[in-house]
Amino acid sequence: MEELEGKISHIIFRSEESGYTVFSVENEGEEWTFVGSFSHIVVSERIKAKGRWKEHSVYGRQFVVEESRLFPPDTAFGMEEYLASGAVKGIGKAIAKRIVKKFKEDSLRIMEEEPERLAEIKGISEQKARDIAAELSGKKDRQDAILFLQGIGISLNLSYKIYRHFQGEIYTILRENPYRIAEELEGVGFKKCDSIAKRVGIEVHSPFRIQAGISYTLLEAELMGHCYLPLSVLKAEAERILEMALPDFQTAVVDLQLKGRVKLKGEKVYRSNTFYREKRVASKLLALNGLEEEYSEAMEESIEKIVKKEELDLDPLQREAVSLAAKSGILVITGGPGTGKTTTIKAILHFFTECGKNIALAAPTGRAAKRMGEATNFPAKTLHRLLEYMGKGEEEEDEEGFERYFQRNEENPLDADVLIIDEMSMVDLYLMDAVLKAVHPGTRLILVGDSNQLPSVGAGNVLRDIIQSSCINCIQLKKIFRQAMESDIVVNAHKINEGIEPDLGKRSRDFLFIRGEKAEKIYSDIAVLMKEKLPKYLQIDTLSIQVMSPQKKGALGVESLNRFLQESLNPRDKNKAEKELFGTLFRLGDKVMQVKNNYKLAWEIPGKFNIPVEEGEGIFNGDIGKITEINHYAETITVFFEEKKVEYAFSDCEDLELAYAITIHKSQGSEYAAVIMPMYRGPRLLMTRNLLYTAVTRAKSCVCLLGDPLAFQAMLHNETEQKRYSGLCEQITEMKEWV
């Protein structure tokens, strides 16, 4: 970290709510822009700060303060300026001038140590002198508290947040139960509080620590996709995290339940918010499902008319799906590739359009929404866009307050008679809850997806749980249409899903298996395919080919593959700018992926003479682009995501990764012209049938598997799926019985 010192000359911006401040600092003719969170800050104070420089895309170069100390001015002029700026409540310009005229350089000392003498100044009563003294004492207490927090390893920003929330309780909390900080403040986790607790001497066997550790274990489980943990699993995991045996584990769980932080349901332990979220989703689904219309001849005639007019080839199950959509409150349509899900959705869209219904079409990711829109010729949005997600500005979002950041909710529901959601396997419990809150009673809900795809990254297994409950109308499309049957990708995907071995030796136009047991051979074959064979064969560019792997680490994991492919496809060149950021070397021409939704990131579509023809905000998790410029002077990286141009400051590139190779999980909701996947032995939990199935179904024109046929067979026959503890199915069935 760099250290700078100077006088605060101008406050440019300040948020009293967060303490976030932008201000100018002068020192010996130089002027810098500082940013950071401060409990108070006043013009003419001196600041000694440690931090780092960053380039803001709009406001230029800024010094981000991570540690700081503030000092009052030491000259009479500086003191007058300081007091006149409103540093002390009750002192304006006139009184500041009188104080400094009388006490000169001793003014601030007298105000702190002998405040009664202020009554000697015209315009200051004895009561006002006491008020000023109290104000100064409060400022000193605040500064001392923040310095103390920084002294035990807490960042300046977090120190300010802690002080603002707890005020005078800080020392008591740190002495008795620092884990309250994690309970009451967003963005502060157990591990941070545990390190603070160790510094202030909290015992490892403290009941506060044990309860905080159990809460943290449940939160970690949710990040792994679980909604709850069985008591025995929770105990084992909590003991691992806390690094100690928990003989009083049951008592700790009961105490947490009494405090309202967890919910016990038999042997299942939920975080309370998650339990009630699951119940809410189940209740709302059943309420919407109960709104059925009586099927009429008019409906049948309307469907028949649409089928003929649009020349749609519907099999009996597809026809049934359209009929059920016409009369049901909720309908689930599931099926593998080539089974006609998109054609069915088209028929449903035409039916409801003819009925004059207001329809919304959405998907969890930008790429999935775009693909759905192109396939149906109907505008589609991401679910976050549909729900008008606002984000949280400078701070990280937390799952607890997730719904607060959607403008569409119970008070402001969606203006839609019919809501169709595609790629439902990717929708987690949190997002489903937010969707259902924004759906007004009477809305038709149609959920479309492939239940054999990987489950959502977030907590829950929503699509599969709804299907397994058998309480909601569900159509499973099974027939592979003739056109699709011509593709070995589709045929083999269905075989893989059923555990049937495809003929790997068959000469195929779109499904290839290239043998080679050694990693060096696989690497070499991937390079040849990407540089020569596939671009020529499919008439595509290299960026349209996607390499996938089940895992990040290992000889043929994503990290190693990206390093190899970067040097193979985009080698170092003196004419190519490059920059290492956050442990990744970015080079001009690299293929990159945005790995986190960023709704505030500005983009433009350049037109003639580089004049933007369209501007907007939002780049999403899974969006893939190409680096077209690295500007070392401006400290920016320019990426084109298809036609959208985005300028990243170096400091904002944490959510960018190389994308020559990606994990199969990251491919969900996307489609690529060609998919290449190495076949090799790996951890059994990652080498599963549904991962193989998901990878194959991401390809439009060609799948290339390279490696050991025995590794392919092992994946095909490994039906092991990581157990996901989700209670939505049970909640739905239980509520259904009560109705």
Side-chain angles (χ1 to χ4, degrees):
M1 282 194 295
E2 193 173 341
E3 189 171 82
L4 295 175
E5 185 177 354
K7 176 191 161 188
I8 298 167
S9 58
H10 178 53
I11 295 175
I12 301 164
F13 170 80
R14 178 164 172 83
S15 165
E16 289 303 328
E17 187 179 344
S18 67
Y20 183 76
T21 312
V22 183
F23 57 101
S24 300
V25 174
E26 291 178 350
N27 187 27
E28 297 179 356
E30 283 195 83
E31 188 173 53
W32 310 297
T33 302
F34 280 32
V35 297
S37 288
F38 293 85
S39 58
H40 74 286
I41 196 163
V42 181
V43 169
S44 79
E45 282 184 309
R46 292 195 66 79
I47 185 169
K48 187 181 283 186
K50 290 181 180 178
R52 55 185 173 80
W53 288 101
K54 79 164 190 178
E55 189 72 29
H56 194 284
S57 56
V58 178
Y59 302 111
R61 200 163 186 242
Q62 298 177 332
F63 188 71
V64 182
V65 179
E66 294 179 11
E67 294 178 26
S68 73
R69 287 201 69 169
L70 293 167
F71 304 92
D74 52 9
T75 65
F77 176 78
M79 287 179 191
E80 185 178 331
E81 190 181 26
Y82 171 74
L83 293 171
S85 68
V88 182
K89 194 176 175 183
I91 298 179
K93 287 182 181 180
I95 289 178
K97 196 174 186 72
R98 288 175 210 157
I99 292 171
V100 176
K101 187 178 178 180
K102 183 170 179 63
F103 300 120
K104 303 196 170 41
E105 284 86 354
D106 215 21
S107 295
L108 293 178
R109 186 197 64 76
I110 285 171
M111 290 174 72
E112 285 182 8
E113 298 174 12
E114 304 173 68
E116 66 279 359
R117 290 188 61 189
L118 289 172
E120 300 171 18
I121 305 293
K122 185 183 176 184
I124 300 180
S125 64
E126 288 185 9
Q127 181 59 51
K128 190 168 182 176
R130 285 194 292 272
D131 291 343
I132 290 170
E135 172 76 8
L136 280 169
S137 176
K139 283 175 74 86
K140 189 174 184 308
D141 288 347
R142 181 169 56 198
Q143 181 73 356
D144 289 348
I146 287 170
L147 285 171
F148 173 76
L149 291 167
Q150 286 183 255
I152 58 172
I154 301 173
S155 71
L156 176 63
N157 287 0
L158 182 55
S159 295
Y160 175 72
K161 281 176 75 175
I162 292 171
Y163 179 82
R164 189 168 176 273
H165 185 79
F166 294 106
Q167 300 282 324
E169 285 189 276
I170 282 177
Y171 299 104
T172 306
I173 287 165
L174 290 172
R175 187 171 61 250
E176 295 176 0
N177 180 18
Y179 298 97
R180 268 186 65 190
I181 298 169
E183 291 170 24
E184 297 183 31
L185 277 183
E186 294 175 9
V188 185
F190 168 77
K191 288 185 176 177
K192 184 68 184 176
C193 284
D194 209 31
S195 71
I196 295 168
K198 284 175 185 171
R199 285 194 179 96
V200 297
I202 301 293
E203 290 287 326
V204 293
H205 291 92
S206 160
F208 297 123
R209 180 174 185 264
I210 290 166
Q211 289 177 27
I214 292 169
S215 294
Y216 175 72
T217 305
L218 286 170
L219 180 61
E220 284 287 287
E222 286 191 22
L223 296 174
M224 297 293 291
H226 306 296
C227 293
Y228 69 85
L229 286 179
L231 271 166
S232 58
V233 175
L234 176 59
K235 183 173 185 288
E237 283 298 299
E239 288 180 339
R240 181 184 63 79
I241 285 167
L242 291 163
E243 298 179 340
M244 58 186 278
L246 298 176
D248 297 325
F249 169 76
Q250 202 81 28
T251 305
V253 172
V254 170
D255 284 348
L256 282 168
Q257 179 163 244
L258 291 170
K259 290 175 181 176
R261 288 166 56 195
V262 305
K263 186 74 181 173
L264 272 162
K265 188 173 189 281
E267 291 291 301
K268 301 170 182 175
V269 188
Y270 288 82
R271 290 201 309 146
S272 292
N273 284 340
T274 307
F275 175 78
Y276 291 113
R277 187 174 280 117
E278 213 175 60
K279 282 188 78 73
R280 216 165 33 240
V281 168
S283 174
K284 194 67 185 276
L285 285 169
L286 287 171
L288 290 172
N289 194 53
L291 303 166
E292 289 207 3
E293 278 187 40
E294 195 171 323
Y295 196 68
S296 65
E297 282 186 24
M299 284 181 183
E300 183 63 43
E301 287 169 9
S302 181
I303 293 169
E304 188 61 40
K305 187 178 169 185
I306 287 162
V307 169
K308 284 180 181 175
K309 183 184 172 186
E310 301 299 328
E311 298 179 348
L312 299 171
D313 180 19
L314 302 182
D315 77 347
L317 275 174
Q318 289 175 301
R319 286 292 295 262
E320 188 182 350
V322 181
S323 301
L324 281 170
K327 67 173 186 175
S328 304
I330 301 183
L331 174 65
V332 176
I333 302 171
T334 183
T339 55
K341 295 192 297 291
T342 303
T343 304
T344 308
I345 293 170
K346 277 183 177 177
I348 292 168
L349 284 167
H350 284 297
F351 172 80
F352 284 120
T353 302
E354 290 284 326
C355 296
K357 302 289 187 184
N358 192 0
I359 308 163
L361 184 60
T365 68
R367 291 177 75 90
K370 185 181 178 188
R371 198 177 73 244
M372 198 62 198
E374 288 170 351
T376 59
N377 291 318
F378 195 91
K381 295 180 179 179
T382 66
L383 283 168
H384 285 76
R385 277 282 181 233
L386 185 73
L387 299 176
E388 298 175 18
Y389 182 78
M390 298 180 291
K392 283 188 66 180
E394 296 288 327
E395 299 176 14
E396 285 293 311
E397 97 184 33
D398 69 305
E399 297 289 17
E400 296 299 332
F402 184 68
E403 297 90 345
R404 294 202 302 269
Y405 310 112
F406 291 110
Q407 295 185 71
R408 294 289 183 173
N409 48 40
E410 300 100 324
E411 284 86 38
N412 183 29
L414 292 167
D415 183 23
D417 305 308
V418 181
L419 172 58
I420 302 174
I421 304 174
D422 193 28
E423 295 285 357
M424 262 302 298
S425 62
M426 298 178 69
V427 177
D428 63 22
L429 184 69
Y430 292 94
L431 189 51
M432 193 65 190
D433 187 33
V435 168
L436 292 172
K437 281 182 174 182
V439 171
H440 61 75
T443 299
R444 307 290 180 84
L445 187 60
I446 298 161
L447 310 176
V448 185
D450 184 350
S451 58
N452 294 306
Q453 294 282 349
L454 294 170
S456 58
V457 174
N461 208 347
V462 175
L463 179 63
R464 200 172 287 188
D465 277 358
I466 292 171
I467 294 169
Q468 286 179 355
S469 74
S470 302
C471 297
I472 287 163
N473 285 328
C474 178
I475 291 288
Q476 185 173 6
L477 303 176
K478 295 176 181 177
K479 180 185 171 183
I480 306 173
F481 282 80
R482 181 175 54 79
Q483 192 177 349
M485 285 289 287
E486 294 171 5
S487 165
D488 284 328
I489 296 174
V490 172
V491 172
N492 288 340
H494 284 273
K495 283 183 177 178
I496 290 166
N497 189 42
E498 293 163 21
I500 301 166
E501 287 189 26
D503 181 1
L504 299 181
K506 178 187 172 186
R507 289 180 65 87
S508 172
R509 289 182 295 109
D510 61 4
F511 194 97
L512 311 171
F513 195 102
I514 301 169
R515 296 168 184 260
E517 294 181 18
K518 293 187 177 178
E520 295 83 0
K521 170 79 164 54
I522 295 172
Y523 273 114
S524 171
D525 288 342
I526 290 173
V528 171
L529 281 168
M530 292 194 75
K531 284 197 283 191
E532 301 170 25
K533 301 286 187 185
L534 287 176
K536 191 175 177 182
Y537 177 56
L538 298 172
Q539 298 297 299
I540 56 173
D541 64 10
T542 305
L543 290 183
S544 302
I545 305 164
Q546 190 57 62
V547 179
M548 294 183 199
S549 177
Q551 63 189 49
K552 279 193 168 185
K553 308 289 182 183
L556 284 157
V558 165
E559 291 176 359
S560 298
L561 282 163
N562 268 319
R563 284 193 295 271
F564 167 78
L565 289 167
Q566 184 184 47
E567 290 309 316
S568 179
L569 302 173
N570 189 30
R572 193 183 297 268
D573 187 298
K574 65 179 182 181
N575 296 317
K576 287 182 187 174
E578 57 183 52
K579 177 71 179 178
E580 186 169 342
L581 295 163
F582 304 100
T584 299
L585 179 68
F586 295 106
R587 187 174 293 146
L588 186 68
D590 273 341
K591 181 180 181 180
V592 291
M593 174 186 273
Q594 175 77 15
V595 296
K596 190 177 177 184
N597 288 339
N598 187 332
Y599 296 90
K600 302 284 175 91
L601 199 57
W603 55 261
E604 63 178 44
I605 299 175
K608 254 187 177 181
F609 311 112
N610 219 26
I611 299 168
V613 295
E614 191 180 341
E615 294 177 314
E617 291 182 337
I619 298 296
F620 306 105
N621 183 8
D623 283 352
I624 287 177
K626 181 180 179 180
I627 295 176
T628 58
E629 185 184 14
I630 298 177
N631 189 325
H632 287 279
Y633 179 75
E635 296 189 344
T636 59
I637 290 180
T638 303
V639 180
F640 265 82
F641 295 94
E642 296 179 352
E643 74 274 24
K644 292 178 181 175
K645 176 186 172 185
V646 178
E647 201 170 84
Y648 289 82
F650 282 176
S651 56
D652 294 332
C653 290
E654 196 170 3
D655 298 329
L656 269 187
E657 290 181 2
L658 293 178
Y660 297 103
I662 62 172
T663 62
I664 297 167
H665 281 90
K666 281 289 180 192
S667 74
Q668 286 179 274
S670 299
E671 234 179 28
Y672 311 96
V675 165
I676 297 174
M677 183 178 171
M679 290 281 104
Y680 62 99
R681 303 284 181 148
R684 182 170 168 77
L685 272 175
L686 287 174
M687 313 306 286
T688 62
R689 182 189 295 175
N690 69 333
L691 267 170
L692 179 60
Y693 173 78
T694 300
V696 169
T697 56
R698 298 304 89 198
K700 287 194 289 188
S701 303
C702 191
V703 169
C704 296
L705 305 176
L706 300 92
D708 186 356
L710 293 176
F712 176 87
Q713 288 168 13
M715 273 189 100
L716 178 72
H717 297 297
N718 180 11
E719 294 183 77
T720 309
E721 289 182 42
Q722 191 173 2
K723 173 68 180 170
R724 183 164 283 208
Y725 298 109
S726 169
L728 181 61
C729 174
E730 187 182 327
Q731 300 271 31
I732 293 170
T733 51
E734 284 180 2
M735 283 187 190
K736 182 76 171 174
E737 288 171 10
W738 300 340
V739 176

